Amino acid sequence: MSARLGGSQPGTNQLNIVVGITGGIAAYKAVGVIRALILAGHDVHVVATDAALRFVGKPTLEAISRNTVDTDLYEGVAQVRHVAIGQAADLIVIAPATANTIAKLAAGLADDLLGNTVLASKAPVVIAPAMHTEMWQNPATVANIMTLRSRGVTVVGPGVGQLTGTDSGPGRMVEPDEIVSAALAVRRPQDFEGRRIVVTAGGTREALDPVRYIGNRSSGKQGIAIALAAAARGADVTLVGANLEVAAPASVHVQHVVTTLELADAVDAASQNADIVIMAAAVADYRPESIAESKIKKETQGDRLSLELVKNPDILTGLARSRRPGQIIVGFAAETEPDDAALLELGRAKVQRKGSDYLLVNRVGWNEGFATDGNSVVMLDGRGDIVMEASGSKSAVADKLLDVLARA
Ligand code: CTP
């Protein structure tokens, strides 16, 4: 059993890092990962699978990590060890991560100590895959990697090069230094620890009949990126997702809704004790006055069909009006205006009309803004002054937004 599992040391940059080692030939390179982390001043706890110990000896791992090595789910049961290691971790690095381990992580299995450790932890997870090219390119592995990425797991490599046999190609574990620098980079400041954040994402839909709806093209990607980034920075996040087209992250509380009225109810409840509410969802402003009980038929409608729509509540305006002292309300404005100056003016008018503390203005169009991985925003404060501009991946935009909120 390890000597100490205290979490990071207050006032120092020392992290409590779990290094998971699984059963691949590249396990010998994990020794280099551990050594580099120790030299960087971190506390390392190795959790090795039984298969890993066929490739690299426990005494080596213990000597290099300066801690005893954990492998067995049934050791230290009295100390509830299978969850204690994960709970105390600031960062989990799995190197090498075999195809088998990747599949188990994607499925959330906990049939060994490493699986339990990952499931019991809120720490960022970094994996360095190592396997033969065919296994890396197998659709099962491709799907598992996508699942892990959608949950915020950082995947380092694999590199392209000589594999264990005579073959070469993608699948080779990247070198220890690359793994270590990528791992330490994901360790974010925990500047939202203790803060409760509600994020809405996606687009609401209003039913016309049992099979049709009025909706919009929002995929939920930007809102999910904000939720993920906030959780990685220590926030307690509730994601209210309206018809999300991508998987919701596991590190946040998720509530699924369909219509604007459902979104309004969910946000109303979740915002009661929230410190920050971020309305990234695209909200249907109108809903059909009545929903047809059965499918609307063209035989009974003829050549024209008129829909009578009624206005939905403006959730953001309501939140801004009823916010508690200290509560921060953030809105988004998706506009099709092509001219930059005019776009900004629309944003300024909107933030004043809605009364939110901040508004992130972005341009949308047939090929812009929706369902893409990138975004470009200008963030205004309540007076309409620019406080931040960001362009890049939706997660980079999310972090820039959080940087402003961290100072607010
Ligand atoms: N919003 C809301 N409730 C609505 C409509 C929008 O809370 N009924 C929120 C959105 O989540 C977003 C912000 O208000 O954070 C701006 O949304 P947008 O669609 O740009 O503004 P609208 O109020 O719909 O204004 P307009 O249609 O005139 O552009």
Side-chain angles (χ1 to χ4, degrees):
M1 206 192 301
S2 305
R4 191 170 58 77
L5 267 180
S8 53
Q9 298 300 295
T12 74
N13 293 325
Q14 188 189 54
L15 300 174
N16 182 5
I17 302 177
V18 169
V19 174
I21 308 179
T22 72
I25 305 283
Y28 75 93
K29 286 204 221 167
V31 175
V33 173
I34 299 163
R35 179 129 187 92
L37 291 171
I38 293 284
L39 288 176
H42 301 293
D43 198 7
V44 175
H45 294 266
V46 173
V47 175
T49 62
D50 286 331
L53 295 182
R54 289 168 173 247
F55 295 96
V56 59
K58 206 170 184 176
T60 306
L61 298 173
E62 295 196 330
I64 302 293
S65 70
R66 304 174 190 170
N67 269 316
T68 48
V69 169
D70 292 287
T71 28
D72 193 345
L73 196 49
Y74 301 101
E75 258 176 27
V77 174
Q79 296 89 4
V80 204
R81 191 128 195 90
H82 66 290
V83 290
I85 299 172
Q87 284 171 338
D90 298 308
L91 176 65
I92 298 177
V93 184
I94 304 177
T98 58
N100 184 49
T101 294
I102 288 167
K104 284 173 31 169
L105 292 174
L109 293 188
D111 63 347
D112 60 13
L113 188 61
L114 185 58
N116 276 266
T117 298
V118 173
L119 280 187
S121 179
K122 289 188 174 163
V125 177
V126 177
I127 63 168
M131 65 198 75
H132 283 278
T133 303
E134 292 80 355
M135 296 170 84
W136 174 248
Q137 290 175 343
N138 187 289
T141 307
V142 171
N144 290 331
I145 288 285
M146 271 173 62
T147 300
L148 292 179
R149 283 205 168 109
S150 77
R151 291 185 197 146
V153 170
T154 300
V155 182
V156 193
V160 179
Q162 181 77 51
L163 302 171
T164 310
T166 52
D167 48 345
S168 75
R172 186 187 156 88
M173 188 170 93
V174 295
E175 294 309 309
D177 283 346
E178 193 183 334
I179 296 170
V180 169
S181 69
L184 295 178
V186 300
R187 226 337 265 202
R188 311 276 188 76
Q190 294 298 289
D191 47 358
F192 283 86
E193 191 124 48
R195 292 176 93 178
R196 284 170 301 230
I197 304 188
V198 175
V199 184
T200 68
T204 60
R205 292 177 184 169
E206 305 294 348
L208 298 175
D209 68 16
V211 293
R212 303 183 180 97
Y213 60 82
I214 301 174
N216 62 69
R217 293 173 49 219
S218 176
S219 62
K221 284 187 176 182
Q222 183 61 76
I224 288 176
I226 296 167
L228 257 179
R233 289 168 69 156
D236 179 350
V237 181
T238 299
L239 174 71
V240 184
N243 312 296
L244 301 176
E245 284 176 13
V246 282
S251 53
V252 304
H253 314 285
V254 185
Q255 229 177 310
H256 293 285
V257 296
V258 177
T259 66
T260 299
L261 291 180
E262 286 171 11
L263 182 76
D265 284 347
V267 171
D268 191 39
S271 65
Q272 292 305 315
N273 57 6
D275 302 300
I276 301 172
V277 183
I278 302 172
M279 287 288 299
V283 181
D285 288 322
Y286 295 88
R287 65 180 184 277
E289 189 170 35
S290 61
I291 302 172
E293 282 291 324
S294 54
K295 194 177 167 199
I296 300 169
K297 293 285 195 188
K298 47 183 182 300
E299 290 80 33
T300 51
Q301 297 300 326
D303 289 343
R304 280 176 173 272
L305 169 65
S306 298
L307 295 172
E308 197 69 41
L309 303 177
V310 293
K311 208 170 187 181
N312 272 325
D314 190 311
I315 305 167
L316 184 64
T317 304
L319 285 167
R321 284 207 185 116
S322 62
R323 69 171 168 276
R324 300 190 314 273
Q327 196 178 39
I328 300 173
I329 310 293
V330 183
F332 270 75
E335 306 287 357
T336 50
E337 171 58 54
D339 178 68
D340 281 348
L343 181 79
L344 213 53
E345 279 319 306
L346 283 176
R348 290 197 166 112
K350 194 171 278 186
V351 72
Q352 276 154 19
R353 194 165 68 240
K354 301 245 181 190
S356 61
D357 297 289
Y358 297 100
L359 189 79
L360 284 92
V361 186
N362 69 317
R363 188 174 288 122
V364 289
W366 295 111
N367 301 310
E368 216 174 352
F370 295 120
T372 59
D373 292 323
N375 204 358
S376 192
V377 300
V378 176
M379 183 170 176
L380 304 175
D381 66 12
R383 290 189 307 270
D385 292 336
I386 296 175
V387 290
M388 181 275 277
E389 288 180 72
S391 234
S393 68
K394 285 184 174 171
S395 43
V397 169
D399 267 315
K400 287 252 181 122
L401 157 63
L402 292 174
D403 289 345
V404 174
L405 300 181
R407 294 191 299 266

